Every structure is written in C-alpha cells, then in structure tokens.
Amino acid sequence: MSTDNLPKKMDRRRLIKNGMQLTLGLSLVSIAGWSAFKSTSDRLVWQLDPFKCVQCGRCAKECVMTPSAVKCVHAFNLCGYCDLCGGYLKPDPNARTTAAENQLCPTAAIKRKYIEDPYFEYEIDEALCIGCAKCVAGCTSFGNGSLHLQVRHDRCKNCNECAIARVCPAEAFQRVPISSPYLIKGGFTKGKNG
Amino acid sequence: MRGLGKYLYQSESIVKLLKRFGFLLMMLFVTAQSFALDAQQRFPKPEFATGYAQPATTSPSPRFLLLEYLDIFVLLAALSVVTWFVLKKRSRKGVFWTSVFSLLYFGFYREGCICSIGAIQNMVLGVVDNTYKIPLTAFVFFLLPLVFSLFFGRTFCAGVCPLGAIQDIIVIKPIELPKWLQKVLGLIPYLYLGLAVLFVATKSEFIICRYDPFVGLFRFDAPFHMMMLGILFLATGLFVARPYCRFFCPYGVLLGWMSRFSSNHMTITPAACIQCKLCANSCPFGAINEPVVETGKRHSNVNRMITYFILLPLWTGIGGLAGSMVHVPLSHYNKTVYLAEQLIEHPELKDDQKNIDIRTFLTSGKTTTQLIAEADAIRHQFYIGGWLLGGFMGFVIGTGLIRLSAFRRRDDWETDKTNCLSCARCMEFCPVKRDEDGKITINER
Ligand code: SF4
Ligand code: SF4
Ligand code: SF4
Ligand code: SF4
C-alpha cells in the first residue's frame, strides 16, 4: 500500500463517520419529535385503587421504603363511629377496651377517641402505621370500609415502577396525574345507600 | 328569584363537587352494585349531639411539579459544565467536582430517581402502551445525554450520572483485565438492554429499576439482597474500575453508539501525539487504543473480514433461534403467565387458602379460560421478542467479530470513543500541554 492514497482513505473514513453522525442525529430528532406527541408535562404518580385492593398485606412488605409509604387513611364521612369497630378490635376481643392485646393493629397506630355515647372516633397515626391492611380488612368485612390504604405522597419516592405495583395481586396500583394524586373513598353520607 | 339563585348556587356546587370527586363518583357508581352487596354503609354515620367537628382526611401533596423541572435544568447545567471542563479546560479536577455534585444532587438528594438509564423503559412503554404518556422529565433525561454524547462523547458518564460518580470516586487500585475478558463481559450490557426492552414491551416489569444496585445506597434503605449487591459492586469497583458502567449499564450501549461517531470527542493530547507512551496505562477502564500497524498479509485479512460479513446473517439467525428457544422460561417472569401456569400445573392450589395470588384471581370474576388466553398472548409476545432479542445479540457478536478482524491503521495513542467515559484522567498523563492562550508546551520529565 502506497502512502499517497492514505489521505483518500482518511477522507472516506471521515465521510462514513459524518454520515453515521448525521443518521444518529436524525434518529434522535425523530425520537424527540415523536415523544413530544407522546409526552405529558403533568407528572404521573402511583396510587392504589381502594376498591380493587384485597388487603393482601404486600403493601407493608414490598415498598422500597421501610416502613412502607402506603398508609391507612380514614374516610371519616363513611365511618359509623362504632363502639365495636371491626378495624380496631380483634374479631374476638376479651373486652371492648384499648388494651393492646385487643387491638388488630400490630403497631397500635389507630387512636380511639370517645366522642359521645356510644360513638368513638378512630384516627390513624401515620408515623406508626406500616400499611399492613389488617384494619382495612377488618373494617371492610365487618364495618363500612371507611378505613382504606393510600400511597402517601409525602413519603412515597415515586419510583419509576412502584415495587408494590409489580406484586399487587389485585392490580390495584396505577399511575395517576400529579394534579389528582389520591383515590380516597368518599361520597357516602348518612342516609344515602343506608 | 331567590329560588333560582339557590338553584344556581346548588348546581354550581354540584359541578364543583363533581369536578373534585368526579373520578371517585364515577368509580362509586361502577362499583356501587358490588359495594352494596358486601360493604354497604352498614352503620350509618351518627348525628352528633355534642358539637363534634369531624377531622378531614388529609392528602399530603407529592413533590412540587416545578422541582421536577428544576431536575431538568440541573441536568442541562451539569452536562454543560462537565463538557466544558473536559473539552475546554481539560481539567480532571473540574470533572471530579462536577461528579461529586451530581452524586450529591441526583444520587443522595434525588435518591437516584429519575435517572437516564431507567428512562429507557419509559420510552419503550410509551411505544407499546397507547394510554401511557411519557413524563417530560423521563423523556428529557433519556434524550439529552444522548444528544451531548453525539457531539462531545460520553461526558454524561464522566460527571453527571450518579451511578457512574459513586463508582468513579472509589477507583483506587484498578487492575487491567485481559482484553478478551473485557470484550466478552462487554456483551452483557447489550443483553441487559435487550432484556429490559423485552420486559417492558411485554408489560412485565422495569428490570433496570428493580436491579439498580446503587439506589439502595442513595436511600440508605433497600431490601437486604439489593444492599448486598450494591456493596458487592462497590467492593469490586475498588479493583475493577466502574464495573456497572462497563459491564452492565444498558444506557451505556446507546451512549457508546453516539459517542463512537461524535465530532468533538476529547483527545488525550491537545496537539500532536509525541509517542511518549506515558498515557498507555493511565485509563482505568482500558479505553485507550495503542497504535497498530497491519500484521499478516493484507489479502488474507480482507478475506477474513469478507467471510465474517457473509456470516453475519448466520449469527443473527442462530441468535434469534436461541432466543426463541428460551422464550418460555423468560415468560415466567410475567406474573400473568406465571399465574396461568401455576393453575394449569397445580390445580390443587385452587384450594390453598394461603396462596394470595390465586385467591385474588378466583374472586376477581375472571375465568381461567380468559386468564389462559391472556397468558398465551403474552407468551406469544415473548416468542417474537425472543427472536428479536436473540437476533440482536447474534448481530452484535457478528459485528464485534468484523470489527476485531477489520484492520484500522492507527498511528497515535487514541481513546476508544465507544468505551471512553471522558473522565479526563489520561489528559493529566500527557506531557503535551496547552496553556490559556493556546500555546503548546511539552513538559520534559
Ligand atoms: S398489594 Fe394491592 S391488594 Fe395488597 S394490600 Fe396493597 S393494594 Fe391491597
Ligand atoms: S392495622 Fe396495619 S394498615 Fe391499619 S393502621 Fe395498623 S399498621 Fe396501618
Ligand atoms: S412508588 Fe416506591 S416508595 Fe412509593 S409506594 Fe411504590 S414502592 Fe413505595
Ligand atoms: S455507563 Fe451507565 S452507569 Fe456508567 S456513567 Fe454511563 S450512564 Fe451512568
């Protein structure tokens, strides 16, 4: 090979390189153009649909956070303020007291407050709740279903794919727009549907 | 008149209410029937005699949307700064401090999410799922580093990627792996990329996020095995520099393609190479190519290359076949397929009270036939995907062979643009220096 055709070879190499750069550049531009149609400036966050949830208990275990970013919330409007609360007390309580061994919640995260005879208010201490859904199961099967789980966005890392969504047997998790990030039960008041 | 006003007022508030709870209301109507059956308002809310004020159900807001745009801004700024440090200032120190900043911001403050590597999956999901809208942040995080890479090389890897940064600052005593081993391990990212795309395309899962080894370290919180994986990567990284980047990162594949044809990639020397060989061992990532002259007979070299070209379709075909053969085990990782299989192979599980997935399925109202049809469709996607993935791997191996046999005369010590992470270490070893006003000096040692 003589040295004088070297520059020509270099030229060819440069040509291929520039051509490839152009091709790749154009494909990036077309990806950008396509994504502009497909994208949303609204961000998506994870939320679970309480009506699909089957209270399997995975929310407590599978979240990347410990304790889980899923917590129990209380839709007070739906609550019957019962003394004998299916979410608060174990199915077979010794006595209707606040003693820990009578409580369904493993972390005693539900605060029971006397309002007036015979009504009690139940409020969740989210710092204690681990999202195990035991109370939700109790409330849903024996009560009004006012206790239910929600992803709490002050704790949730908003993982690209929610680790719970992947294993939720009920496919209750979905991406929702950041502008309406909760699916909190509501709409039932006294008299309706009673 | 008053009646009308009241009526208007009421309807307005109903509209407001509808807007607020529109979705919920709709859902309530849909579920009303089943709801009425098993969980109706069994105990109506009492009328309180004492002025009891009912607490509101709180709904703490997610991170402010504007902050997401801040992330985009920081990404652009960090990319620009690090590119400037690499190309204009030729300053390793500058690159280092930018990467420390990125590690703190994208790593520890943003806790490793969103990242460009994972954004691949959002893009693919955008393709396969018509209802999915790609968040602007994911789309920009995917595209911007690639654009930079196409012009300036992988400066993203040098100082912006938090995963790269955490590995880079612990490169203490890098050992050089044999070239063949680097080549073989270098195939893993292609496989990983292909698998990631396959699993998103079949709507199975986001494996890049699930197996991100460092995100747990950024959050100081992860399942035990992921924490161990992260620590293992870091421990390996003390000796084998940036193992995740070189032998796993799927985004690195795309960046490499761009960088390979970049027009302004950094060079080891600011002027002409003086063949001093001082930079020869300076790259901890084995990304410096030595000068080569042609060995052997040119004629036989060309022949070998032509043979490899002809063999390329064969590799692709073999790969595709192999890929299609593993589609069944691959599809197990899809939960619908797995569930259907469990039901077919172990019908007795239907009575297992502890199997949550099967219990939930049985109460869902879906029939087993429907489930099996769904699983079949997904498995078929895996079959097609297996062909494509295998074909892709065969093609990658085939072109790798061509590249190995292709003779490319190289006179100087140069960076391997595909694999160079633009970390700017080698520049410090080059005795040729360019000062502020562009004067070239050679440091004699
Ligand atoms: S994983 Fe799904 S079904 Fe289980 S408790 Fe959470 S939301 Fe409910
Ligand atoms: S029972 Fe479980 S979900 Fe309910 S409040 Fe206690 S920890 Fe939370
Ligand atoms: S998105 Fe992540 S942090 Fe949020 S609930 Fe799911 S796993 Fe937990
Ligand atoms: S190779 Fe991947 S992990 Fe490493 S710095 Fe580049 S994008 Fe980040």
Side-chain angles (χ1 to χ4, degrees):
Chain A
M1 186 173 87
S2 65
T3 38
D4 54 10
N5 69 34
L6 241 188
K8 215 190 238 162
K9 219 174 156 193
M10 286 303 186
D11 265 359
R12 196 178 65 207
R13 220 189 252 185
R14 171 122 34 87
L15 199 71
I16 294 178
K17 209 214 73 182
N18 288 349
M20 275 308 285
Q21 193 187 16
L22 194 69
T23 317
L24 289 171
L26 286 177
S27 41
L28 286 188
V29 168
S30 44
I31 292 177
W34 167 81
S35 318
F37 279 109
K38 276 295 282 188
S39 76
T40 163
S41 56
D42 206 2
R43 190 140 160 69
L44 301 170
V45 294
W46 290 96
Q47 192 49 272
L48 71 92
D49 178 344
F51 292 105
K52 287 190 184 159
C53 170
V54 295
Q55 300 96 33
C56 66
R58 287 186 185 161
C59 277
K61 283 181 244 140
E62 303 289 340
C63 179
V64 298
M65 305 280 291
T66 18
S68 173
V70 174
K71 304 282 176 203
C72 178
V73 298
H74 198 184
F76 293 99
N77 259 339
L78 294 180
C79 182
Y81 289 81
C82 327
D83 182 5
L84 190 66
C85 169
Y88 182 75
L89 297 165
K90 286 212 174 117
D92 224 355
N94 298 330
R96 219 169 295 162
T97 67
T98 53
E101 72 270 16
N102 291 337
Q103 292 183 26
L104 199 54
C105 178
T107 60
I110 307 180
K111 302 283 167 263
R112 170 178 160 111
K113 193 170 97 190
Y114 173 75
I115 304 290
E116 60 184 55
D117 203 40
Y119 301 129
F120 289 82
E121 178 198 276
Y122 299 91
E123 200 169 12
I124 313 292
D125 182 348
E126 286 189 13
L128 292 179
C129 173
I130 55 168
C132 69
K134 289 207 168 84
C135 61
V136 180
C139 181
T140 310
S141 34
F142 303 116
N144 289 351
S146 54
L147 292 172
H148 59 282
L149 294 183
Q150 285 286 281
V151 174
R152 301 305 266 172
H153 291 296
D154 48 342
R155 299 170 192 271
C156 174
K157 296 292 169 209
N158 196 24
C159 309
N160 204 357
E161 183 186 51
C162 173
I164 313 171
R166 203 178 54 232
V167 293
C168 173
E171 303 198 3
F173 277 74
Q174 50 192 289
R175 294 180 173 92
V176 298
I178 203 171
S179 40
S180 49
Y182 287 93
L183 301 174
I184 291 177
K185 281 190 183 179
F188 290 105
T189 42
K190 189 189 168 202
K192 281 190 203 163
N193 228 316
Chain B
M1 218 36 218
R2 256 182 71 208
L4 185 66
K6 200 173 156 201
Y7 170 75
L8 277 178
Y9 172 74
Q10 263 183 359
S11 64
E12 195 192 32
S13 63
I14 288 176
V15 169
K16 255 193 210 152
L17 196 79
L18 270 177
K19 266 194 191 148
R20 261 238 194 102
F21 297 110
F23 177 72
L24 268 178
L25 276 181
M26 210 174 72
M27 226 168 54
L28 288 180
F29 283 133
V30 174
T31 44
Q33 276 199 312
S34 60
F35 199 70
L37 284 177
D38 54 28
Q40 82 265 63
Q41 190 101 344
R42 295 186 177 102
F43 312 100
K45 187 174 145 190
E47 306 267 20
F48 295 108
T50 54
Y52 163 69
Q54 172 186 299
T57 311
T58 58
S59 47
S61 345
R63 193 167 177 265
F64 200 32
L65 187 61
L66 264 185
L67 289 179
E68 310 283 337
Y69 295 133
L70 178 70
D71 291 346
I72 294 182
F73 174 75
V74 175
L75 174 75
L76 180 63
L79 271 171
S80 310
V81 167
V82 76
T83 307
W84 179 71
F85 273 130
V86 174
L87 294 176
K88 275 267 160 337
K89 300 299 275 183
R90 300 176 59 80
S91 153
R92 166 72 196 150
K93 239 200 208 126
V95 173
F96 176 79
W97 286 111
T98 322
S99 74
V100 170
F101 165 79
S102 301
L103 178 59
L104 293 177
Y105 185 84
F106 293 113
F108 290 104
Y109 169 61
R110 290 298 290 119
E111 302 187 315
C113 206
I114 172 84
C115 88
S116 299
I117 312 174
I120 299 172
Q121 302 162 126
N122 301 66
M123 299 300 285
V124 179
L125 190 58
V127 178
V128 297
D129 187 342
N130 278 329
T131 59
Y132 179 69
K133 293 237 173 273
I134 305 166
L136 188 69
T137 28
F139 150 52
V140 173
F141 268 70
F142 174 77
L143 210 64
L144 210 52
L146 292 178
V147 172
F148 266 76
S149 206
L150 186 59
F151 290 99
F152 311 113
R154 295 167 70 171
T155 50
F156 173 75
C157 298
V160 186
C161 177
L163 282 77
I166 196 174
Q167 297 171 82
D168 201 82
I169 54 176
I170 58 150
V171 174
I172 309 271
K173 232 188 153 7
I175 51 167
E176 208 190 323
L177 297 179
K179 271 268 180 286
W180 66 265
L181 188 59
Q182 293 193 34
K183 285 258 179 317
V184 173
L185 291 178
L187 288 173
I188 301 174
Y190 291 89
L191 185 63
Y192 196 2
L193 176 66
L195 282 173
V197 172
L198 177 66
F199 277 105
V200 179
T202 54
K203 299 198 191 150
S204 305
E205 60 173 307
F206 279 20
I207 54 172
I208 300 178
C209 296
R210 186 174 180 188
Y211 298 110
D212 180 339
F214 302 113
V215 75
L217 300 174
F218 293 150
R219 290 175 180 162
F220 303 112
D221 190 3
F224 178 73
H225 64 279
M226 286 314 291
M227 216 54 163
M228 288 318 287
L229 191 67
I231 292 169
L232 189 74
F233 262 106
L234 287 188
T236 316
L238 293 174
F239 309 106
V240 180
R242 293 177 75 159
Y244 184 81
C245 293
R246 290 155 71 199
F247 307 131
F248 290 93
C249 179
Y251 193 56
V253 172
L254 305 180
L255 288 170
W257 287 344
M258 299 296 148
S259 175
R260 187 174 149 81
F261 301 103
S262 59
S263 40
N264 301 308
H265 195 281
M266 58 143 276
T267 49
I268 305 176
T269 174
C273 173
I274 55 168
Q275 308 282 344
C276 65
K277 298 193 176 67
L278 285 177
C279 63
N281 294 319
S282 64
C283 180
F285 318 116
I288 292 181
N289 289 331
E290 347 182 317
V292 276
V293 285
E294 188 159 20
T295 49
K297 284 239 171 59
R298 173 153 186 87
H299 190 67
S300 67
N301 283 352
V302 169
N303 273 354
R304 192 172 60 214
M305 203 171 122
I306 290 174
T307 325
Y308 281 149
F309 254 113
I310 295 170
L311 284 180
L312 193 56
L314 186 70
W315 293 130
T316 314
I318 294 177
L321 191 66
S324 70
M325 275 153 65
V326 295
H327 83 278
V328 173
L330 277 180
S331 67
H332 284 315
Y333 292 94
N334 180 290
K335 70 178 174 192
T336 310
V337 175
Y338 185 74
L339 184 66
E341 226 149 54
Q342 289 275 298
L343 279 172
I344 293 170
E345 279 165 27
H346 308 282
E348 74 277 6
L349 283 177
K350 280 192 179 166
D351 306 318
D352 183 353
Q353 296 298 321
K354 289 212 196 71
N355 192 317
I356 296 168
D357 298 276
I358 289 179
R359 286 254 70 76
T360 310
F361 163 72
L362 291 176
T363 51
S364 72
K366 208 195 268 177
T367 65
T368 315
T369 336
Q370 275 169 329
L371 178 78
I372 291 175
E374 253 174 57
D376 264 341
I378 296 173
R379 183 168 274 175
H380 184 69
Q381 291 173 353
F382 268 94
Y383 178 70
I384 310 260
W387 269 103
L388 293 175
L389 171 64
F392 171 67
M393 285 313 290
F395 185 80
V396 166
I397 293 172
T399 44
L401 286 176
I402 294 176
R403 203 156 337 125
L404 274 185
S405 66
F407 161 71
R408 259 193 153 207
R409 176 183 168 130
R410 201 181 301 112
D411 297 320
D412 302 325
W413 297 79
E414 282 170 2
T415 57
D416 163 1
K417 290 203 311 192
T418 310
N419 294 318
C420 166
L421 303 175
S422 293
C423 73
R425 283 187 177 84
C426 54
M427 290 174 173
E428 294 200 320
F429 287 78
C430 182
V432 183
K433 300 283 174 215
R434 189 183 56 199
D435 63 14
E436 295 287 301
D437 2 284
K439 224 175 102 226
I440 303 291
T441 46
I442 298 177
N443 291 349
E444 300 291 347
R445 285 202 205 180

